[in-house]
Amino acid sequence: MRLQPRPASLYAPSVPTLDLPAASEKSVTDRDFLRSAFQSMLLARILENKLSSLYKAGKIVGGVYLGRGQESVSAALGTALIRGTDVFSPLIRDQAGRTAFGESLLDCTRTYLGSVLGPMRGRDGNVHRGRPLEGVPAMISHLGAQIALVAGMLFAKRLKGQLQGVVGATCVGDGATSTGAFHEALNLIGVEKLPLVIVVANNQFAYSTPNNRQFACGDLIERARGYGLGGWSVDGTDLFACASVMREAVRRAREGGGPQMVVAHLLRLVGHGEHDDAFYVPDACRNDHYGRDCIDVAIPQLVANGHVTTDEIHAWQHQFAADVQRAVAQAQQEATPDPYREDWTAISTRFPISQ
Amino acid sequence: MRLQPRPASLYAPSVPTLDLPAASEKSVTDRDFLRSAFQSMLLARILENKLSSLYKAGKIVGGVYLGRGQESVSAALGTALIRGTDVFSPLIRDQAGRTAFGESLLDCTRTYLGSVLGPMRGRDGNVHRGRPLEGVPAMISHLGAQIALVAGMLFAKRLKGQLQGVVGATCVGDGATSTGAFHEALNLIGVEKLPLVIVVANNQFAYSTPNNRQFACGDLIERARGYGLGGWSVDGTDLFACASVMREAVRRAREGGGPQMVVAHLLRLVGHGEHDDAFYVPDACRNDHYGRDCIDVAIPQLVANGHVTTDEIHAWQHQFAADVQRAVAQAQQEATPDPYREDWTAISTRFPISQ
Amino acid sequence: MSVTYIDAILAAQEKLLREDDRVFLYGQDIGVFGGAFKATKGLAAAFPNRVFDSPISEDAMIGLAVGAAIEGLRPIVEMQFADFSSIAFNQIVNQAATHYYRTGVPIPITVRMPSGGTPGSGPFHSQNMEGIYAQYPGLIVLTPATVADAFHMLIDGVALDDPVIYCEHKFLYRWLKAKSINNDHLPIGQARIARPGKHATVVAYSAMVHEAVRAADRLQPDGWEIEVVDLRSVKPLDLDTILASVARTGRLLAVGESFPWGGVTAEVISLVSEHGFHLLDAPPQRLNSRDTPIPYHPKLWASHRPTPESICDALRHLLRF
Amino acid sequence: MSVTYIDAILAAQEKLLREDDRVFLYGQDIGVFGGAFKATKGLAAAFPNRVFDSPISEDAMIGLAVGAAIEGLRPIVEMQFADFSSIAFNQIVNQAATHYYRTGVPIPITVRMPSGGTPGSGPFHSQNMEGIYAQYPGLIVLTPATVADAFHMLIDGVALDDPVIYCEHKFLYRWLKAKSINNDHLPIGQARIARPGKHATVVAYSAMVHEAVRAADRLQPDGWEIEVVDLRSVKPLDLDTILASVARTGRLLAVGESFPWGGVTAEVISLVSEHGFHLLDAPPQRLNSRDTPIPYHPKLWASHRPTPESICDALRHLLRF
Ligand SMILES: Cc1ncc(C[n+]2csc(CCOP(=O)(O)OP(=O)(O)O)c2C)c(N)n1
Ligand SMILES: Cc1ncc(C[n+]2csc(CCOP(=O)(O)OP(=O)(O)O)c2C)c(N)n1
Ligand SMILES: [Mg+2]
Ligand SMILES: [Mg+2]
């Protein structure tokens, strides 16, 4: 099944239809956005390559899940959001979005390497890291479960009178759309009219399971209407397209246009985790349009439009590689958690009475 | 929000679009179907009125949940199904469908009155009754949970090579569409392409909760497409319309057209249960088109079309009232379960070893 | 005028909404309708925009509450019946319960669970889930047995920074009455001597406290003085009070309305056997419901759960050692 | 050639598919991919149309299995991790578990639950849920500890007419090896003496059997002979074998990898305290994991669950009485 990107307006009946300028037209006016998003993509790729080597060298315990091929989608979303104002609950393939939303490299390396100084203090690992009080929830593994949580943060902000101008966003994969949690939460954000942007990265596989064993519609965006969400379908390998769709979806949510759903089409360019060689992905998928590497797609576009120069890219590459190296080195020399000093309690209340 | 019945074809892109004859046109060729469905409606109404009096007289322990106002939808579905071949998992407002599918009056009265001879032997009550081995699953209370179960029965029939010509059907309310179970199961029947007909009786309220706190789309049929289901939207107060849509949806499922979703629009004409006076239903709802009593709508239509005479209806009323009276009387004089003879075990295996 | 158990729950929520603007209520049919059991009657009108009817989405309801708690609010979520929390199970045990340990950010949500059997309610409107939730680190599980506790423990529970599973017993809703709600009360985590005695200790909680007291009263004429301990909260569980009681009586029967495998009574027996073995003059005993789903028919139901009669039988057996 | 624990699970499924055409497999990534742990490797190819990749819909997966069971088939559903069965919780405990009692129609489904901790897996890929499911009437809960049991108990479990929760321990998958799979084996419902002894009884199950045997071995040089009982199934639970062992040793320690409140160890201690009180020469003891979510970091994880060291400590304490 080959998907054609479709005009979003077809699926966005509950939102006033607005003719988007073609991606390339609009993007030229958005130099800063594109440069910034691209930097996040690049840094994420370099960081993840490093994590992959560390994993293969046995330096990381537990899984490593990478976002290779999804950086455009994730970075475009993260760049459209405002740290300190918005809520962003990243999922497993959102290193680029995390970076764009302002995650420090150390938060990442410390978590993967089990430093007790990381945000999860060795208690939880890898992609589960978050800083809930700074607008970055810490995901649980159960797919779909974060959407309602972000909805709750927005709901609370509304009750507190602090929702004005705020957006919440979270990502899921094609597989996560089959969960009951996904459905209940999307229905709820529709009913509560919360400014939430849900991004579905349809990377054609859920672990090894292809789309045709996961859902039976043509494009998952066909579900937006049933929830009363604005709907957007975008080529996830195209940074320019992602940038303009994400900005527009986020803008509408921010300006009172209600919840928005974006479905991005692409291919997962790595295994499910670094333990997986993805033998089940047919060559046909790798070789088709959505098998493109979004970074390879972005570079000539950015250069051709005069947004960046090749020299700049090289300089960034060097700088990011050094930054990553430093963050890894620092995390590696930090203390790991000590079971004898660990506060073995799951509740914050200290009852005076014996338990 | 007032809903207009919509042409089903709008929402049924995955099924070859077929122009249905207008309900009234087609129905004249379906005298037997309409007579049979109407008889089930009438019997269900008389039976349920009796259950209501028994409840008010304190003769029934536990809840009584009636289908008043939903008989057209339910009976049309039950009449379109074939007992002994099909699977029908009725929900709480499906007395008419149960009757049409061949449930005996005694199964109903025995269950409500707690006779140990009933299909649930006093272990479970009221609308939970079923005869799973005869194609009538016994529902649990958790909304949405039966759909996947029916899917499993169909899936098994396929594996056994016995699916040819078989349909499974089940009903849910508008409220149940918000459950994760509903979503997971509909997605699954789409993926597995099972011949399942899911009927959503949108009676505008889930207990006291109106549609606008339950979902955010216009018509729930807008969800069919996202699951790859054929979609039908019908006026649930109109027996003729229900009959032609249900027959068509069931026919398509039976003939390999894949899963079908029917959304029927109507109003619950009773409280959620007989304990509930439904004070929260505004007069505007009661007085509008969907506030019509489907039996009152059906009678003049049937008579005008020459399908039944007023005399016949009167005769049926008398007969059914007597039948119901007999079934109640018999169940009332039967033994209730005896805790000292009860086999207090939840598993069929008898382990030789102490537990 | 008298106050019922459910009046107390309503009054507690009213007070919380009035005094703490971090509190809001979320649940099915809790607005205009006032809840399936009328535990929120009138609150939507009195507190506009603080009481919300939710869709039938238990998973999302708890997810929403957890998010709101991160933002500093104190949601109270009503499950229409404890039995339906099975749909919210994942969000409760994996999202809410683990959050503080994982992130250091506590989740002050309260989930009200109308629990326990009533005649004719059947297998899916009668369940007790305290023994399920108490297994999970990170949850506090409250099981009030009195009108005053229904009131104070709800207020104290909402004040806790951690997720609270508040199990309110449906059988007590209108049956249990008090003259008024006393102001002094025990803190959460402390059990209560519901009836003093010296020959045996019955540990119970929620509705079973009353059945145990009835059983104790019946044995009184025979000269037996039975002490009844009301656990009040099953997690944390007040072992000190139980041990002190067993030290006086030498005999222990734990009574619960849940299914017989594991659960609260097993935890109580295990704790006492481990930590108070030398205090026991007889094998400690358990009495729970039977190992089947909860039957619909009142005649079956009545002998599915412990009754004053079956508690008396168990006590007589215990006193015979 | 040697057989691992997971080889045994694969072989059992192969045999079941080959010999019983009522059996089919349903689960995420179990087809071409062979399952997250390769427990179904090659089966999709060998048995076309008997092994199905499911959508990520745990609730619907179990719902489907129950329906198929009504139709006379014997589905085996693989949860990718036991932890994700929280999504299927309702269908397991309310649909599958209650069906036989309610309708008289048994539900022969088997749910495979990759359970238990491994280093670095963290709070949501390490859980043990046997103590949750065993609370529900209507479910059979199996916890094989050996390669032979992994094989035979899966086959015997599928043969049972009732819903079976089959808890397979991920730590044992590749670490545990046997020369071959013996043909004679105990029936479900019977515990096994994993290591005979006379000074104390350790009751354990699943991976903890091996930790307990290790602990016992360490105490041997000091002259202590510790008996280890492998429960094999936690529901039904073979009290006779446990009591016979405690009758010999007079001392009991129950070890489990689950959270400390309630669960299997509490059930074991309670049963023995009730029915074998006079056999006990010392307070019975429990050892479980700590009362927090399962930590990700291997250093934390290693001291979250019982270890040979902590089991030795608990035994020394027990032997001191
Ligand atoms: C409820 C639930 N079931 C199963 C899993 C195991 N699991 C983790 S990731 C994954 C595949 C997810 O696929 P998709 O949503 O498409 O995201 P992608 O990995 O492709 O980015 C599965 C099955 C889970 N995390 N949660
Ligand atoms: C999962 C779940 N949550 C809550 C309930 C309690 N409940 C029973 S019926 C009902 C309302 C159902 O409304 P709807 O689906 O519209 O059906 P209707 O009663 O209108 O026919 C509710 C909330 C339930 N049965 N299951
Ligand atoms: Mg995917
Ligand atoms: Mg309704």
Side-chain angles (χ1 to χ4, degrees):
Chain A
M1 183 191 57
R2 280 285 283 98
L3 294 168
Q4 289 305 321
R6 307 187 188 207
S9 57
L10 233 178
Y11 304 108
S14 55
V15 178
T17 303
L18 178 142
D19 278 321
L20 284 182
S24 53
E25 259 177 70
K26 183 172 172 65
S27 56
V28 287
T29 68
D30 294 318
R31 188 170 184 270
D32 291 346
F33 187 95
L34 289 167
R35 280 172 66 89
S36 170
F38 178 73
Q39 283 183 307
S40 297
M41 292 167 64
L42 204 60
L43 176 49
R45 178 69 63 89
I46 290 166
L47 172 59
E48 291 200 338
N49 285 347
K50 181 70 190 176
L51 292 173
S52 173
S53 331
L54 286 168
Y55 176 83
K56 282 165 188 157
K59 297 279 168 62
I60 291 178
V61 196
V64 168
Y65 303 89
L66 304 184
R68 176 185 294 229
Q70 312 200 178
E71 290 93 342
S72 279
V73 178
S74 188
L77 176 62
T79 307
L81 300 170
I82 306 166
R83 180 139 188 151
T85 297
D86 292 338
V87 173
F88 175 44
S89 186
L91 219 73
I92 70 175
R93 312 217 184 269
D94 278 323
Q95 184 54 54
R98 289 176 178 272
T99 301
F101 197 59
E103 183 182 78
S104 75
L105 282 172
L106 272 175
D107 270 14
C108 174
T109 58
R110 281 173 163 160
T111 304
Y112 268 104
L113 293 161
S115 159
V116 75
L117 301 177
M120 309 310 276
R121 298 161 294 162
R123 293 174 174 194
D124 205 344
N126 56 55
V127 290
H128 293 178
R129 68 191 183 275
R131 294 188 172 268
L133 298 182
E134 297 170 30
V136 186
M139 67 174 266
I140 65 169
S141 296
H142 299 70
L143 295 167
Q146 295 312 105
I147 312 173
L149 184 145
V150 175
M153 294 177 75
L154 299 173
F155 191 85
K157 286 179 192 288
R158 179 184 286 162
L159 291 187
K160 294 188 290 180
Q162 300 168 356
L163 192 61
Q164 190 63 37
V166 173
V167 167
T170 184
C171 302
V172 295
D174 42 292
T177 66
S178 302
T179 64
F182 171 83
H183 171 76
E184 292 196 1
L186 289 201
N187 183 59
L188 184 143
I189 66 171
V191 167
E192 304 289 2
K193 302 205 181 356
L194 295 166
L196 195 150
V197 178
I198 170 83
V199 175
V200 179
N202 181 359
N203 61 14
Q204 302 181 54
F205 290 87
Y207 210 152
S208 73
T209 305
N211 281 181
N212 68 354
R213 290 295 300 166
Q214 197 67 246
F215 55 85
C217 57
D219 182 337
L220 285 164
I221 199 61
E222 292 167 27
R223 296 203 177 153
R225 179 181 177 142
Y227 298 117
L229 312 182
W232 312 82
S233 190
V234 67
D235 180 346
T237 62
D238 178 341
L239 171 62
F240 283 48
C242 289
S244 79
V245 162
M246 293 296 178
R247 295 186 80 185
E248 187 57 25
V250 168
R251 189 188 67 74
R252 289 202 191 180
R254 201 183 297 288
E255 294 176 2
Q260 307 289 321
M261 180 174 183
V262 178
V263 176
H265 302 277
L266 41 77
L267 179 68
R268 199 187 68 208
L269 298 183
V270 274
H272 171 63
E274 284 306 273
H275 59 280
D276 170 25
D277 66 7
F279 70 88
Y280 47 80
V281 175
D283 283 342
C285 287
R286 299 189 200 277
N287 297 333
D288 92 352
H289 176 82
Y290 292 121
R292 307 188 296 176
D293 182 328
C294 61
I295 293 193
D296 294 345
V297 173
I299 290 176
Q301 271 187 295
L302 288 165
V303 172
N305 280 282
H307 293 328
V308 289
T309 65
T310 319
D311 285 351
E312 276 181 310
I313 295 178
H314 284 145
W316 290 342
Q317 278 172 323
H318 275 97
Q319 187 205 315
F320 294 163
D323 293 347
V324 165
Q325 199 49 53
R326 217 171 18 249
V328 167
Q330 175 165 345
Q332 268 175 332
Q333 71 200 26
E334 286 172 359
T336 51
D338 178 350
Y340 301 97
R341 291 168 175 227
E342 176 75 5
D343 180 24
W344 289 106
T345 172
I347 54 174
S348 68
T349 309
R350 298 294 175 262
F351 288 102
I353 303 287
S354 76
Q355 302 185 23
Chain B
M1 185 190 55
R2 279 285 283 100
L3 295 169
Q4 291 304 321
R6 308 185 187 209
S9 56
L10 234 178
Y11 304 108
S14 54
V15 179
T17 303
L18 176 144
D19 278 320
L20 284 181
S24 54
E25 258 177 74
K26 184 173 171 63
S27 56
V28 288
T29 67
D30 295 317
R31 188 168 185 270
D32 291 347
F33 186 97
L34 288 167
R35 279 173 67 89
S36 170
F38 178 73
Q39 283 183 306
S40 298
M41 292 167 65
L42 204 61
L43 176 48
R45 179 69 63 90
I46 289 165
L47 172 59
E48 290 199 340
N49 285 346
K50 181 69 191 178
L51 292 173
S52 173
S53 332
L54 287 169
Y55 176 84
K56 282 165 188 156
K59 297 279 168 61
I60 291 177
V61 195
V64 169
Y65 303 89
L66 305 183
R68 177 186 294 230
Q70 311 199 179
E71 290 93 342
S72 278
V73 178
S74 188
L77 176 62
T79 308
L81 300 171
I82 306 166
R83 181 139 187 151
T85 297
D86 292 339
V87 173
F88 175 43
S89 185
L91 218 73
I92 71 174
R93 314 218 183 269
D94 279 322
Q95 183 54 55
R98 288 175 180 271
T99 301
F101 197 59
E103 183 182 77
S104 75
L105 282 171
L106 272 176
D107 270 13
C108 174
T109 57
R110 281 173 163 161
T111 304
Y112 268 104
L113 293 161
S115 159
V116 75
L117 300 177
M120 309 309 276
R121 299 161 294 163
R123 294 175 173 192
D124 205 344
N126 56 55
V127 290
H128 293 180
R129 69 190 183 277
R131 294 189 172 268
L133 298 182
E134 296 170 31
V136 186
M139 66 174 267
I140 65 170
S141 296
H142 298 71
L143 296 167
Q146 295 312 105
I147 313 173
L149 183 144
V150 175
M153 294 177 74
L154 298 173
F155 192 85
K157 286 178 192 287
R158 179 184 285 162
L159 290 187
K160 294 188 289 178
Q162 300 168 355
L163 192 62
Q164 190 65 35
V166 173
V167 167
T170 183
C171 301
V172 295
D174 42 291
T177 65
S178 301
T179 63
F182 172 82
H183 171 77
E184 293 197 1
L186 289 201
N187 183 59
L188 183 143
I189 64 171
V191 167
E192 304 290 2
K193 303 206 180 356
L194 295 167
L196 195 150
V197 178
I198 170 83
V199 175
V200 179
N202 180 0
N203 60 14
Q204 303 181 52
F205 290 87
Y207 210 150
S208 73
T209 305
N211 281 180
N212 67 354
R213 291 292 302 164
Q214 197 68 245
F215 56 85
C217 57
D219 182 337
L220 285 164
I221 198 63
E222 293 168 27
R223 296 205 176 150
R225 180 181 174 142
Y227 298 117
L229 312 182
W232 312 81
S233 189
V234 67
D235 180 347
T237 63
D238 180 341
L239 171 61
F240 283 48
C242 290
S244 78
V245 163
M246 293 296 180
R247 295 186 79 184
E248 187 57 25
V250 168
R251 189 189 66 75
R252 289 203 191 179
R254 201 183 298 287
E255 293 177 2
Q260 307 289 320
M261 178 174 185
V262 178
V263 176
H265 302 277
L266 40 78
L267 180 67
R268 198 187 67 208
L269 297 183
V270 274
H272 172 63
E274 284 306 274
H275 60 279
D276 170 25
D277 65 8
F279 70 86
Y280 46 80
V281 175
D283 283 343
C285 287
R286 298 189 200 276
N287 298 331
D288 93 352
H289 176 84
Y290 292 121
R292 308 188 296 175
D293 182 329
C294 61
I295 294 193
D296 294 345
V297 174
I299 291 176
Q301 270 187 296
L302 288 164
V303 172
N305 280 281
H307 294 328
V308 290
T309 66
T310 320
D311 285 350
E312 274 181 312
I313 295 176
H314 285 145
W316 290 342
Q317 277 172 323
H318 276 98
Q319 186 204 317
F320 294 163
D323 293 347
V324 165
Q325 197 52 52
R326 214 169 23 246
V328 167
Q330 175 165 345
Q332 268 176 330
Q333 71 200 28
E334 285 172 358
T336 52
D338 178 350
Y340 301 98
R341 291 168 176 227
E342 176 75 5
D343 180 24
W344 289 106
T345 172
I347 55 175
S348 68
T349 308
R350 298 294 175 262
F351 287 101
I353 303 285
S354 75
Q355 300 185 24
Chain C
M1 223 199 67
S2 74
V3 191
T4 64
Y5 185 90
I6 195 154
D7 291 339
I9 293 169
L10 173 59
Q13 293 183 97
E14 198 276 337
K15 180 177 158 76
L16 285 160
L17 285 166
R18 191 161 22 84
E19 296 180 359
D20 187 344
D21 59 17
R22 298 169 305 172
V23 172
F24 72 95
L25 315 188
Y26 203 74
Q28 292 153 27
D29 306 296
I30 66 169
V32 172
F33 192 62
F37 299 100
K38 303 297 171 197
T40 58
K41 192 175 174 178
L43 298 181
F47 301 95
N49 238 2
R50 307 275 298 282
V51 182
F52 301 90
D53 279 335
S54 74
I56 306 181
S57 303
E58 285 80 3
D59 181 280
M61 287 158 63
I62 300 294
L64 176 136
V66 172
I70 292 174
E71 285 286 322
L73 299 192
R74 306 214 158 218
I76 303 176
V77 180
E78 176 178 307
M79 290 286 133
Q80 202 154 79
F81 285 80
D83 318 51
F84 300 134
S85 74
S86 57
I87 311 293
F89 186 65
N90 183 57
Q91 293 279 8
I92 294 173
V93 308
N94 286 317
Q95 186 84 270
T98 67
H99 201 267
Y100 172 71
Y101 180 72
R102 295 169 60 237
T103 68
V105 178
I107 300 295
I109 68 172
T110 301
V111 188
R112 288 184 37 237
M113 302 247 186
S115 303
T118 47
S121 296
F124 310 115
H125 291 76
S126 306
Q127 294 175 21
N128 295 284
M129 299 195 52
E130 62 283 344
I132 297 293
Y133 291 114
Q135 283 196 37
Y136 283 89
L139 299 177
I140 289 168
V141 183
L142 309 182
T143 49
T146 68
V147 173
D149 273 351
F151 181 81
H152 292 298
M153 292 179 78
L154 185 48
I155 288 181
D156 293 352
V158 170
L160 294 179
D161 283 341
D162 297 295
V164 169
I165 306 297
Y166 178 91
C167 302
E168 46 190 69
H169 202 292
K170 300 193 297 293
F171 193 79
L172 304 182
Y173 273 166
R174 290 171 199 286
W175 171 83
L176 194 68
K177 296 190 178 79
K179 283 254 158 51
S180 65
I181 295 171
N182 209 314
N183 245 347
D184 47 86
H185 64 289
L186 297 173
I188 285 175
Q190 204 166 317
R192 176 180 73 96
I193 306 294
R195 183 189 195 280
K198 58 183 179 198
H199 297 119
T201 298
V202 180
V203 171
Y205 60 97
S206 191
M208 284 297 137
V209 170
H210 305 282
E211 309 298 336
V213 168
R214 277 200 201 98
D217 290 346
R218 291 198 194 180
L219 292 181
Q220 184 89 30
D222 299 349
W224 297 118
E225 296 179 29
I226 308 296
E227 181 149 303
V228 177
V229 175
D230 171 6
L231 283 179
R232 300 180 68 250
S233 76
V234 306
K235 193 174 189 182
L237 203 152
D238 178 6
L239 181 58
D240 292 356
T241 298
I242 300 171
L243 286 181
S245 176
V246 174
R248 285 189 290 276
T249 65
R251 284 173 158 75
L252 171 66
L253 170 68
V255 179
E257 194 184 318
S258 289
F259 301 128
W261 195 103
V264 178
T265 56
E267 180 64 20
V268 168
I269 299 293
S270 296
L271 283 172
V272 173
S273 300
E274 283 172 83
H275 301 285
F277 190 69
H278 56 290
L279 306 173
L280 290 165
D281 298 328
Q285 305 288 317
R286 285 185 285 178
L287 187 64
N288 294 299
S289 78
R290 298 196 195 243
D291 198 30
T292 70
I294 301 140
Y296 154 75
H297 198 283
K299 277 170 68 182
L300 294 179
W301 174 76
S303 67
H304 185 266
R305 71 202 283 260
T307 56
E309 294 73 38
S310 65
I311 299 172
C312 279
D313 287 351
L315 279 168
R316 286 213 185 83
H317 176 71
L318 179 65
L319 290 163
R320 218 174 288 134
F321 278 93
Chain D
M1 223 196 69
S2 74
V3 191
T4 65
Y5 186 89
I6 196 153
D7 290 340
I9 293 169
L10 174 59
Q13 293 183 98
E14 198 275 337
K15 181 176 157 76
L16 285 161
L17 285 166
R18 191 161 22 85
E19 296 179 358
D20 187 344
D21 58 17
R22 298 170 306 172
V23 172
F24 72 95
L25 315 187
Y26 203 72
Q28 293 153 25
D29 305 295
I30 66 168
V32 172
F33 193 62
F37 299 100
K38 304 297 169 194
T40 58
K41 193 174 173 181
L43 298 181
F47 301 96
N49 237 3
R50 307 274 299 283
V51 181
F52 301 90
D53 280 335
S54 75
I56 306 181
S57 303
E58 284 81 2
D59 180 280
M61 287 158 63
I62 300 294
L64 176 136
V66 172
I70 291 174
E71 286 286 323
L73 299 191
R74 305 214 159 218
I76 303 175
V77 180
E78 176 177 306
M79 291 285 133
Q80 202 154 78
F81 286 80
D83 317 52
F84 300 134
S85 74
S86 57
I87 310 293
F89 186 65
N90 183 57
Q91 293 279 10
I92 294 173
V93 308
N94 286 317
Q95 187 84 270
T98 67
H99 202 267
Y100 173 70
Y101 180 72
R102 295 169 60 237
T103 68
V105 178
I107 301 294
I109 68 172
T110 300
V111 188
R112 287 184 38 237
M113 301 247 186
S115 302
T118 47
S121 295
F124 310 115
H125 291 76
S126 305
Q127 294 175 23
N128 295 285
M129 300 195 53
E130 61 284 343
I132 297 293
Y133 291 114
Q135 282 197 38
Y136 283 89
L139 299 177
I140 289 168
V141 184
L142 310 182
T143 50
T146 68
V147 173
D149 273 351
F151 181 82
H152 291 298
M153 291 178 80
L154 185 47
I155 288 180
D156 293 353
V158 170
L160 294 179
D161 282 341
D162 297 296
V164 168
I165 307 297
Y166 178 90
C167 303
E168 45 189 69
H169 202 293
K170 300 192 297 292
F171 193 79
L172 304 181
Y173 273 166
R174 290 171 200 286
W175 170 83
L176 194 68
K177 295 190 179 80
K179 284 252 156 55
S180 65
I181 294 171
N182 209 315
N183 245 346
D184 47 87
H185 64 288
L186 297 173
I188 285 175
Q190 205 167 317
R192 175 181 73 98
I193 306 294
R195 183 189 194 279
K198 59 184 180 196
H199 297 119
T201 298
V202 180
V203 170
Y205 59 98
S206 190
M208 284 297 137
V209 170
H210 305 282
E211 308 298 335
V213 168
R214 278 201 200 98
D217 290 347
R218 291 199 193 179
L219 292 181
Q220 183 90 29
D222 299 348
W224 296 117
E225 295 178 29
I226 308 297
E227 180 147 305
V228 177
V229 175
D230 171 6
L231 284 179
R232 300 180 69 249
S233 77
V234 305
K235 192 173 189 181
L237 203 152
D238 178 6
L239 181 58
D240 291 355
T241 299
I242 301 172
L243 286 180
S245 175
V246 174
R248 285 191 290 274
T249 65
R251 285 174 157 76
L252 171 66
L253 170 69
V255 179
E257 193 184 319
S258 289
F259 301 128
W261 195 102
V264 178
T265 56
E267 181 64 21
V268 167
I269 299 292
S270 296
L271 283 172
V272 172
S273 300
E274 284 170 84
H275 301 285
F277 190 69
H278 56 289
L279 305 173
L280 289 165
D281 298 328
Q285 305 287 317
R286 286 185 286 178
L287 186 65
N288 293 298
S289 79
R290 298 197 194 242
D291 198 30
T292 71
I294 301 139
Y296 154 75
H297 199 282
K299 277 170 68 181
L300 294 179
W301 174 75
S303 67
H304 185 266
R305 73 203 283 260
T307 56
E309 294 75 36
S310 65
I311 299 171
C312 278
D313 287 350
L315 279 169
R316 285 214 185 81
H317 175 71
L318 180 65
L319 292 163
R320 219 174 287 132
F321 278 93

